[in-house]
């Protein structure tokens, strides 16, 4: 599914590849602020033990009306906005896994028929925010913050213990109880699901970083 060897990177895809697979640099400044109104790519955070350099970076996608994983530079379904309940520009994710517990909805800005829809309780898109699932988030330690404004988090449904998880091998997204989310493979002993997500702002990185990443992705320079 979407191998880099058959997909020529663009400057934008190189930028997000740096965010999700690492740029080889020192990374940007620490940033733990989700901004309401800002556009994000929202993808699973890379974990060292199952990192596959041949796999194109994935992100949450709802182009077909239901949440799944797809290439982050897909034509539609991959831009998200966090809409916080109760006003204010955003929410700080506290250190040590603590959160202000400000709930938010997740709005897909380019989903079905290019309309703005919201993620519902069954992870399908709903047209009315009143029917959208409320989420809360806590800071996750996996984020490398290679892009300024990038935030790593663990997301669960408001008022319950269900955690937003994904299976990158099957490109599936789930809401799982904590006991299920922590299941491991009986063969490898590694986690079956990833509960770490990175929200990467839709911004253009410095040109020299893009060129360097493109050279490395194409195997030149």
């Amino acid at each position: 599914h979407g191998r880099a060897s058959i997909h020529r990177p663009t400057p934008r895809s190189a930028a997000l590849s740096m965010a999700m697979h690492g740029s080889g640099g020192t990374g940007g400044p620490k940033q733990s602020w989700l901004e309401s109104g800002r556009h994000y790519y929202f993808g699973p955070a890379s974990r060292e033990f199952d990192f596959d350099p041949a796999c194109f970076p994935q992100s949450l996608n709802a182009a077909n009306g239901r949440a799944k994983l797809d290439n982050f530079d897909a034509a539609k379904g991959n831009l998200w906005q966090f809409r916080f309940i109760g006003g204010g520009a955003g929410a700080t994710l506290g250190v040590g896994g603590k959160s202000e517990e400000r709930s938010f909805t997740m709005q897909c800005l380019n989903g079905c028929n290019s309309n703005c829809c919201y993620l519902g309780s069954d992870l399908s898109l709903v047209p009315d925010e009143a029917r959208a699932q409320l989420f809360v988030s806590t800071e996750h330690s996996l984020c490398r913050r290679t892009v300024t404004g990038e935030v790593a988090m663990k997301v669960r449904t408001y008022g319950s213990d269900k955690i937003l998880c994904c299976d990158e091998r099957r490109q599936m997204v789930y809401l799982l109880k904590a006991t299920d989310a922590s299941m491991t493979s009986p063969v490898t002993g590694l986690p079956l699901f990833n509960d770490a997500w990175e929200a990467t702002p839709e911004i253009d990185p410095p040109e020299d970083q893009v060129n360097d990443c493109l050279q490395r992705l194409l195997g030149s320079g």
Side-chain angles (χ1 to χ4, degrees), residues 115-170:
N115 294 325
C116 293
C117 296
Y118 303 87
L119 202 58
S121 59
D122 61 352
L123 298 182
S124 62
L125 290 185
V126 295
D128 186 354
E129 189 171 17
R131 296 169 53 198
Q133 174 64 52
L134 289 179
F135 297 95
V136 292
S137 59
T138 53
E139 187 178 49
H140 205 293
S141 60
L142 281 181
C143 187
R144 291 150 300 175
R145 297 183 177 90
T146 51
V147 172
T148 300
E150 188 173 69
V151 179
M153 68 187 80
K154 186 174 182 177
V155 177
R156 63 175 174 82
T157 55
Y158 179 77
S160 81
D161 64 347
K162 288 190 175 181
I163 302 170
L164 186 67
C165 302
C166 65
D167 182 340
E168 293 157 82
R169 294 160 298 183
R170 296 179 174 84

Side-chain angles (χ1 to χ4, degrees), residues 38-42 59-62 67-68 77-82 106-110 117-119 125:
R38 195 171 197 178
H39 300 176
Y40 291 91
Y41 295 92
F42 190 63
S59 70
L60 186 67
N61 191 294
K68 65 171 186 174
N78 60 343
L79 278 180
W80 296 86
Q81 183 172 253
F82 299 88
M106 293 182 63
Q107 182 183 30
C108 182
L109 300 173
N110 59 345
C117 296
Y118 303 87
L119 202 58
L125 290 185

Side-chain angles (χ1 to χ4, degrees), residues 20-53:
M20 296 183 182
H21 283 175
S23 62
T26 58
K30 179 178 175 64
Q31 176 62 270
S32 296
W33 185 265
L34 280 177
E35 296 182 43
S36 182
R38 195 171 197 178
H39 300 176
Y40 291 91
Y41 295 92
F42 190 63
S46 297
R47 302 174 296 183
E48 292 183 0
F49 57 76
D50 63 359
F51 171 66
D52 182 358

